[in-house]
Amino acid sequence: MSAQWRYRDPSAPRLPDGTVDPKAPAPRTASGTVDLSGIWQTDIKYNFNLGADLKPDDIVMLPGAQALFAARRDNNGKDDPEGFCLPPGFPRVNGVPFPQKIVQLAGTIIILYETRTTFRQIFFDSNHTLANDPQPTWMGYSKGRWDGDTLIVETTGFNDKTWLDDSGHPHSEQMKVTERFRRPTFGQLLVDITIDDPKVYAKPWTVTQAFQLMADGELIEYVCNENNLDVPHLVGK
């Protein structure tokens, strides 16, 4: 039995056959900025390997991080926090095989993730500032600004409990993630994601994720509670 909402976006531009026209111009807000709102899904290859599109020498891990990465690989990812129903963290949450919903408001962008029923808030308001030593979080703290039609978001304040992908790419609490959002057409969203973590990587590295619009889709409930049934099947070495 299907649990999916039935929904038809009344504002979406459509072709003569009634399907959404993904090549139509991107919508804009009343203030003139590009409107990123919508239900979006990217390729799950980024969940397997965030650097899937990069060359091997684009991601240069420091010795300690390389050892940790190898240990995770050799242990078949047995300790992956996702296997224990913990939050996937960011930016890994983008690549999981579940959509996300962007809600764009005047001073805030809210991203609702179907997986783990979690969320992010991207603040534009200068009144939202961080303490010198913020409490580390799974998703970090995000601040955004517009540069023309590009939204630039900087996120810091992570804990180090998450993996960047199934492959086990690590990060530290010092990680800074910079995103550049672009919506060239109604149906496409491009996000450049830069990982800058001097405790783990010798240099910053950037991936570009393409998201496709699910104009007539909607989020559904996702529950993961301790994963008692599957944990015994997480077999390491």
Side-chain angles (χ1 to χ4, degrees), residues 90-91 94 100 111 113 120 122 139 142-145 150-155 158 176-182 190-195 207 209 211:
F90 175 77
N94 284 343
Q100 59 183 261
I111 305 181
Y113 297 97
R120 288 174 67 201
I122 301 170
M139 305 296 285
S142 299
K143 294 281 288 186
R145 68 182 188 278
T150 300
L151 173 66
I152 301 174
V153 179
E154 295 180 344
T155 305
F158 297 98
K176 175 182 177 181
V177 180
T178 301
E179 300 161 276
R180 299 177 66 88
F181 291 77
R182 294 163 286 134
L190 300 175
V191 185
D192 303 323
I193 301 173
T194 299
I195 306 295
V207 300
Q209 293 184 352
F211 292 77

Side-chain angles (χ1 to χ4, degrees), residues 133-192:
D133 187 21
Q135 176 182 343
T137 67
W138 298 87
M139 305 296 285
Y141 301 86
S142 299
K143 294 281 288 186
R145 68 182 188 278
W146 287 99
D147 181 8
D149 285 342
T150 300
L151 173 66
I152 301 174
V153 179
E154 295 180 344
T155 305
T156 56
F158 297 98
N159 64 38
D160 61 359
K161 299 177 182 180
T162 64
W163 297 10
L164 295 183
D165 48 33
D166 284 357
S167 297
H169 282 105
H171 71 86
S172 75
E173 291 188 351
Q174 301 302 311
M175 179 174 69
K176 175 182 177 181
V177 180
T178 301
E179 300 161 276
R180 299 177 66 88
F181 291 77
R182 294 163 286 134
R183 188 176 184 176
T185 64
F186 184 81
Q188 187 176 50
L189 181 69
L190 300 175
V191 185
D192 303 323

Side-chain angles (χ1 to χ4, degrees), residues 56-132:
D57 58 356
D58 289 332
I59 304 177
V60 183
M61 282 180 272
L62 299 177
Q66 183 64 56
L68 177 58
F69 178 74
R72 291 172 174 176
R73 177 198 60 209
D74 294 343
N75 201 30
N76 294 329
K78 183 178 185 296
D79 298 320
D80 185 344
E82 274 223 305
F84 298 86
C85 284
L86 293 170
F90 175 77
R92 185 179 186 181
V93 70
N94 284 343
V96 297
F98 303 95
Q100 59 183 261
K101 182 174 186 175
I102 297 180
V103 181
Q104 185 165 326
L105 306 173
T108 311
I109 286 180
I110 301 169
I111 305 181
L112 306 174
Y113 297 97
E114 184 171 286
T115 185
R116 306 299 197 270
T117 315
T118 190
F119 66 93
R120 288 174 67 201
Q121 297 185 88
I122 301 170
F123 294 109
F124 297 90
D125 190 343
S126 61
N127 290 319
H128 283 88
T129 59
L130 285 176
N132 292 331

